[in-house]
Amino acid sequence: MTEKWYRQCGEQSEMVISTRIRLARNVMGYPFPNRMTDEQREELKRAVREAVEQIGGLVLEYIELRDCEQRDILAMVERHLISYDFAKQQTGALLLSPDERISIMICEEDHLRIQVLGAGLDLEAAYKMADLVETALDERLHFAFDERLGYLTQCPTNLGTGMRASLMLHLPALQERGAIRQLSGNVSKLGLTIRGAYGEGTQAQGAFYQMSNQVTLGISETAAIENLNGIAQQIIKQEQAAREAMLSMPQFEDRVWRSYGLLKYARSLSNEEALKLLSNLRIGIVSGLITDVSLEVVSALLGDIHPGCLMAQAGEDLTPESRDKRRADLVRAAMM
Amino acid sequence: MTEKWYRQCGEQSEMVISTRIRLARNVMGYPFPNRMTDEQREELKRAVREAVEQIGGLVLEYIELRDCEQRDILAMVERHLISYDFAKQQTGALLLSPDERISIMICEEDHLRIQVLGAGLDLEAAYKMADLVETALDERLHFAFDERLGYLTQCPTNLGTGMRASLMLHLPALQERGAIRQLSGNVSKLGLTIRGAYGEGTQAQGAFYQMSNQVTLGISETAAIENLNGIAQQIIKQEQAAREAMLSMPQFEDRVWRSYGLLKYARSLSNEEALKLLSNLRIGIVSGLITDVSLEVVSALLGDIHPGCLMAQAGEDLTPESRDKRRADLVRAAMM
């Protein structure tokens, strides 16, 4: 089995969990997905599938969402391979690389959403890979492009590059300090948005945040990526300073070691608690307090502990209680 | 250094932590302590000390409370060697065996309070030891005794045998079930009293309870002990049944293992949390879930983790924060 991309750590992994590049593209000669007939949709899916098969060196599995179990679809949402809206429709299809690094949603909001994921800070490489796939597909499918508006997309907010670049950041010290709201206000003035990567509460579960560019029109892909990267570097510096203060807090060590003890021995863990504890464990590893668990183990768990992932792995639907038990089993096994 | 008695486990240690026998005695020819002059008190202390020194095979350290550090006095209260009232007065003296099994308070409420402690259910042996010490002292000091009233004591509730027999019971399952209040009502009808062994809240911290006889008049020592023992056996049966139900609760294993993980790794533990976690660990050991920590380790910790004990051990006064840290250090070291 090919190792999944998220089981690794990349550049600046102390604070950057992962990178995501997503390109929205539409094929000339077809209406946007919300106006397509069933026949047109099937025709487009076939065309994209065939185009991908013609690209040398690119092996993507073709997955019809309507043929999938609900738990497998949920797992794909949790791993950020498909969007929640795409999962709901169930009329689309997905092309997916064995390492889950490259995925193409067919008939989401746009005809194609080409996505490349990567561990750590990996904007350039991820963009290069997305661009390669996009170029190869463009040759065969011919994407709708306008000299003034750039790539045509169903929603005008994606016009231009059609590119969304995101970084998943781990910001426990800034969250602890209550600094995320102000940070969010600041980055939005710079054309970026920041939100919790998991859950939907006011505070991000486990202090994992997704930061992405909002502007796609009147800016090149490279400039957008540079902008995102530059602001990320500033946030990393702020988090670094906040962490130094956090590390000298009297309760810091206790909190890290308690999290370690609970992850190592608990027999039942809710998703929310697991995220919180893994967040504490992560900063414990980065700060050098915990030496017998690697960041890779935490990264792998962050990809595996979600409800759908657990059920997909089990191959059956599970009650919340069984999931909490399985989650604790998975974490314990990984911590040994 | 002689091993302290509480570092061991005794009979029925699944539920009985320790046994205590206390005999109240007053020496003929002296007024009760609350009416004594300073001279009389000093004279009595000297007389008792000399009498003890004449008893072959009995080696007790003589401790003047006014010469003790406050933290050492607090530690003695926490280990049930002296009463809180005795600690406050600071005019009395204590005779104490190296293993802390035998102690004699001089000039508490009565002239002498002879106490013998023991691990587990140890009523007969503890009474026999207390009786031996008492008999030897009676020969030399001559205790006030009345044919009808028995041993004369300052408070009429102690007249008769002057004996208080107590068992410290661990009743987590009955506490969990909310059955302690009713139990308390039932045993009080049978001449016994039950109360939390640590802390003063409505619920006993860590589910440790002290059960003692209340009746001293018109009943022999042997009958009082048999009565206490008989009722203890019934409570043990009830706790046993409640534990069986508790063990099959889905959250039971998780709770035990979480407590194990926290005790093993926390860097700061309040007294209250430590008692709660040790209580969970204890039932985990008794139920066979935890195999790498012994009941003796838990017993030793239950004797060592209290604020005064920690400061006495450190030889200096400590802030609550430092105590919590030291407590966690002590627990961690014991769990290794």
Side-chain angles (χ1 to χ4, degrees):
Chain A
M1 209 174 87
T2 312
E3 183 82 334
K4 301 288 185 269
W5 70 271
Y6 60 82
R7 294 181 179 274
Q8 293 138 36
C9 282
E11 294 288 310
Q12 305 204 13
S13 60
E14 294 85 2
M15 288 164 208
V16 188
I17 309 286
S18 60
T19 295
R20 178 156 49 141
I21 295 284
R22 184 268 283 153
L23 300 173
R25 293 292 184 267
N26 289 279
V27 178
M28 281 165 64
Y30 288 93
F32 285 128
N34 65 347
R35 292 166 154 223
M36 277 179 140
T37 64
D38 288 349
E39 289 72 32
Q40 287 172 318
R41 196 181 298 110
E42 296 308 314
E43 195 184 306
L44 179 71
K45 289 197 274 188
R46 206 160 38 238
V48 176
R49 186 178 184 175
E50 284 169 12
V52 164
E53 281 167 3
Q54 287 162 22
I55 303 174
L58 186 67
V59 180
L60 301 181
E61 185 190 1
Y62 181 83
I63 302 164
E64 276 285 357
L65 250 61
R66 61 177 166 241
D67 298 338
C68 293
E69 296 281 351
Q70 281 303 312
R71 55 178 177 263
D72 294 323
I73 293 176
L74 178 58
M76 291 191 279
V77 173
E78 291 164 348
R79 287 196 178 129
H80 304 289
L81 297 174
I82 64 175
S83 65
Y84 182 66
D85 286 340
F86 189 64
K88 270 200 308 192
Q89 296 167 199
Q90 303 219 5
T91 51
L94 179 76
L95 287 154
L96 183 63
S97 68
D99 62 1
E100 297 186 2
R101 186 161 154 76
I102 303 169
S103 65
I104 303 171
M105 284 188 277
I106 314 175
C107 294
E108 203 241 19
E109 187 180 286
D110 295 295
H111 291 157
L112 277 83
R113 289 275 172 106
I114 303 164
Q115 175 178 277
V116 177
L117 291 158
L121 185 74
D122 193 31
L123 285 164
E124 282 179 36
Y127 174 67
K128 201 170 160 186
M129 174 73 84
D131 188 46
L132 266 173
V133 175
E134 193 267 354
T135 304
L137 284 172
D138 195 15
E139 281 170 17
R140 290 159 179 87
L141 295 168
H142 312 294
F143 295 139
F145 184 81
D146 177 273
E147 279 302 322
R148 279 196 320 125
L149 295 174
Y151 290 102
L152 299 180
T153 54
Q154 182 166 305
C155 178
T157 58
N158 289 315
L159 285 171
T161 59
M163 183 189 80
R164 186 83 66 233
S166 313
L167 295 174
M168 196 199 287
L169 304 172
H170 186 215
L171 305 176
L174 288 173
Q175 178 173 296
E176 170 105 1
R177 184 174 279 195
I180 301 291
R181 185 188 291 264
Q182 205 200 323
L183 187 71
S184 174
N186 291 347
V187 302
S188 84
K189 289 175 203 147
L190 301 164
L192 302 183
T193 181
I194 191 163
R195 60 185 168 71
Y198 302 112
E200 290 174 10
T202 45
Q203 277 219 330
Q205 286 180 7
F208 297 104
Y209 291 90
Q210 202 83 48
M211 184 167 74
S212 4
N213 69 314
Q214 286 298 91
V215 182
T216 52
L217 196 58
I219 184 170
S220 72
E221 288 85 351
T222 315
I225 285 173
E226 272 172 15
N227 183 44
L228 178 65
N229 188 40
I231 294 163
Q233 293 307 323
Q234 289 176 39
I235 294 174
I236 286 169
K237 273 196 198 115
Q238 288 176 36
E239 169 70 15
Q240 189 58 55
R243 280 192 189 183
E244 272 161 37
M246 194 185 194
L247 260 59
S248 64
M249 274 162 49
Q251 66 270 40
F252 173 73
E253 280 199 31
D254 185 52
R255 192 196 295 168
V256 167
W257 281 111
R258 279 171 181 258
S259 301
Y260 177 88
L262 288 175
L263 289 166
K264 215 170 158 85
Y265 293 107
R267 259 52 183 176
S268 172
L269 285 169
S270 72
N271 202 30
E272 193 179 343
E273 185 186 16
L275 284 169
K276 196 186 74 181
L277 298 177
L278 287 171
S279 173
N280 292 338
L281 178 65
R282 202 174 194 286
I283 189 164
I285 296 169
V286 170
S287 67
L289 214 55
I290 305 283
T291 53
D292 67 341
V293 184
S294 68
L295 277 188
E296 283 80 1
V297 164
V298 177
S299 291
L301 287 172
L302 286 175
D304 289 336
I305 60 168
H306 306 282
C309 298
L310 290 171
M311 296 194 292
Q313 179 64 32
E316 59 175 335
D317 291 344
L318 301 167
T319 62
E321 292 73 29
S322 312
R323 289 202 298 265
D324 290 353
K325 225 173 148 303
R326 274 193 170 252
R327 186 176 292 112
D329 292 347
L330 188 73
V331 170
R332 254 190 356 270
M335 300 275 292
M336 282 305 130
Chain B
M1 209 174 85
T2 312
E3 183 81 335
K4 302 284 185 271
W5 70 270
Y6 60 83
R7 294 180 179 275
Q8 294 139 35
C9 281
E11 293 290 308
Q12 304 205 15
S13 61
E14 295 85 2
M15 285 162 210
V16 188
I17 309 287
S18 59
T19 294
R20 179 156 48 140
I21 295 283
R22 186 266 286 154
L23 300 174
R25 293 292 184 268
N26 289 277
V27 179
M28 280 166 64
Y30 288 92
F32 284 128
N34 64 346
R35 292 165 155 221
M36 276 179 142
T37 63
D38 288 349
E39 289 71 33
Q40 287 173 318
R41 196 181 299 110
E42 295 309 314
E43 195 183 306
L44 179 72
K45 288 198 276 188
R46 205 160 38 238
V48 176
R49 186 178 184 176
E50 283 170 13
V52 164
E53 281 166 3
Q54 288 162 21
I55 304 174
L58 186 66
V59 180
L60 302 181
E61 185 190 2
Y62 181 82
I63 302 165
E64 274 286 356
L65 249 60
R66 60 177 168 242
D67 298 338
C68 293
E69 296 280 353
Q70 280 304 311
R71 55 178 176 265
D72 294 324
I73 293 176
L74 179 58
M76 290 191 280
V77 173
E78 291 164 350
R79 286 199 179 126
H80 304 289
L81 297 175
I82 63 175
S83 65
Y84 182 66
D85 287 338
F86 189 64
K88 268 201 307 194
Q89 296 167 199
Q90 304 220 4
T91 50
L94 179 75
L95 286 154
L96 184 63
S97 68
D99 62 359
E100 298 185 0
R101 187 161 153 75
I102 304 170
S103 64
I104 303 171
M105 284 188 279
I106 313 175
C107 295
E108 203 240 19
E109 188 180 285
D110 294 296
H111 291 157
L112 278 83
R113 288 277 171 104
I114 302 165
Q115 176 178 276
V116 176
L117 291 158
L121 185 74
D122 193 30
L123 285 164
E124 282 179 35
Y127 174 68
K128 201 170 163 189
M129 173 74 81
D131 188 46
L132 267 174
V133 174
E134 194 266 353
T135 304
L137 284 172
D138 195 15
E139 282 170 15
R140 289 159 180 87
L141 295 168
H142 312 294
F143 295 138
F145 183 82
D146 178 274
E147 280 302 322
R148 279 197 321 125
L149 296 174
Y151 289 100
L152 299 180
T153 54
Q154 181 165 306
C155 179
T157 58
N158 290 314
L159 286 170
T161 59
M163 184 189 77
R164 185 84 65 232
S166 312
L167 295 174
M168 197 199 286
L169 303 172
H170 186 214
L171 306 175
L174 288 173
Q175 177 172 295
E176 169 106 2
R177 184 174 280 196
I180 301 291
R181 183 188 293 265
Q182 206 201 323
L183 187 69
S184 173
N186 291 348
V187 301
S188 83
K189 288 174 204 148
L190 301 165
L192 302 182
T193 180
I194 190 163
R195 60 184 166 72
Y198 303 112
E200 291 175 7
T202 46
Q203 278 220 329
Q205 287 180 6
F208 298 104
Y209 291 90
Q210 201 84 47
M211 184 167 74
S212 2
N213 69 313
Q214 286 299 91
V215 182
T216 52
L217 195 59
I219 184 170
S220 72
E221 288 87 349
T222 316
I225 285 173
E226 270 173 18
N227 183 43
L228 178 65
N229 187 40
I231 294 163
Q233 293 307 324
Q234 288 176 39
I235 294 175
I236 286 170
K237 273 197 198 115
Q238 288 176 35
E239 168 71 15
Q240 189 59 56
R243 281 192 189 183
E244 271 161 39
M246 195 185 195
L247 261 59
S248 65
M249 273 162 49
Q251 66 271 37
F252 173 73
E253 280 200 30
D254 185 51
R255 191 197 294 168
V256 167
W257 281 110
R258 279 171 181 261
S259 301
Y260 176 88
L262 289 175
L263 290 166
K264 215 170 160 86
Y265 292 107
R267 258 57 182 174
S268 173
L269 284 170
S270 72
N271 201 31
E272 191 178 345
E273 185 186 16
L275 285 169
K276 196 186 75 183
L277 297 176
L278 286 171
S279 172
N280 293 337
L281 178 65
R282 202 174 194 287
I283 189 164
I285 296 168
V286 170
S287 68
L289 213 53
I290 306 285
T291 53
D292 66 340
V293 184
S294 69
L295 277 189
E296 282 81 0
V297 164
V298 177
S299 291
L301 286 172
L302 287 175
D304 289 336
I305 60 169
H306 306 283
C309 297
L310 290 171
M311 296 194 291
Q313 179 63 33
E316 58 175 337
D317 289 346
L318 301 167
T319 62
E321 292 73 30
S322 310
R323 289 202 298 265
D324 290 353
K325 228 176 145 301
R326 273 194 170 254
R327 186 176 293 112
D329 292 346
L330 187 75
V331 170
R332 255 192 352 272
M335 298 275 293
M336 282 304 129

